[in-house]
Amino acid sequence: MTIADDVQTTTRATLDRLNLSTVERALDGLVGRVEAIYGKPISIKPLPEDQHLRATGLWVDFPDRGVVLYRENDPKPYQRFSILHELGHIVAGHTGCDLLPDEAVGPIASARTVRARVPRTDAPTDSISTQAFEELVAEETAYEFLRWLISRPTNPAEDAFA
């Protein structure tokens, strides 16, 4: 099996847990469903440029809530994708990684979960770290979330005449 195969399988299982077909096709609907699986509320907040977030997004896992931070100076589409990537980590049940929080986010030293993106590869799955695999799953999940958000539900009558 390749990494791509395993990422697809894991991402599909993650998305199946969400049952997005019953959710309003909006970020709020997606966040609500992720919160239900996570078992805690999730806040999504911009991080001002002076906070020095080196990663594009950050999921902070507190005992009573989760906080997804994104860089406020990034372009809007990139902010959205960073948020979706972090939601992918949450819904997939990922935990921390081996980056120390202060290495990634200056003053947010209490952060327990920090992520960095990794490139895709067709190598065997056992050739990469668990952290790298989780990054790929979060990235693929974010792509699927984006596809879901921007696609419209199909109507069989419209499809017949399209």
Side-chain angles (χ1 to χ4, degrees):
M1 268 235 165
T2 66
I3 293 169
D5 295 332
D6 285 341
V7 166
Q8 286 294 321
T9 300
T10 303
T11 299
R12 180 55 35 214
T14 297
L15 293 171
D16 288 348
R17 289 178 55 210
L18 286 174
N19 191 20
L20 291 175
S21 64
T22 63
V23 177
E24 177 191 355
R25 207 171 283 267
L27 184 60
D28 289 344
L30 176 62
V31 171
R33 188 53 59 98
V34 173
E35 286 174 329
I37 288 174
Y38 184 46
K40 306 181 217 181
I42 298 169
S43 300
I44 299 174
K45 300 179 178 185
L47 189 67
E49 185 177 351
D50 65 348
Q51 295 295 306
H52 307 295
L53 182 63
R54 293 183 199 139
T56 58
L58 170 70
W59 162 37
V60 185
D61 185 22
F62 292 104
D64 62 336
R65 71 192 186 290
V67 178
V68 172
L69 301 168
Y70 60 92
R71 295 187 304 209
E72 75 175 355
N73 60 330
D74 281 343
K76 295 288 184 204
Y78 201 72
Q79 291 174 2
R80 175 66 55 100
F81 195 82
S82 296
I83 292 165
L84 296 176
H85 176 95
E86 298 308 320
L87 292 175
H89 281 300
I90 295 169
V91 78
H94 296 164
T95 57
C97 66
D98 60 6
L99 285 176
L100 297 174
D102 56 354
E103 291 174 354
V105 290
I108 309 221
S110 64
R112 288 187 6 209
T113 306
V114 178
R115 302 293 180 170
R117 299 207 172 152
V118 295
R120 291 184 169 273
T121 178
D122 289 331
T125 303
D126 61 2
S127 68
I128 63 170
S129 70
T130 299
Q131 177 189 345
F133 182 77
E134 288 180 353
E135 286 303 319
L136 292 170
V137 168
E139 196 76 354
E140 186 65 24
T141 302
Y143 282 117
E144 292 300 325
F145 286 163
L146 186 58
R147 283 184 192 101
W148 176 79
L149 283 168
I150 64 174
S151 66
R152 65 179 181 81
T154 59
N155 176 331
E158 287 179 4
D159 290 345
F161 296 102

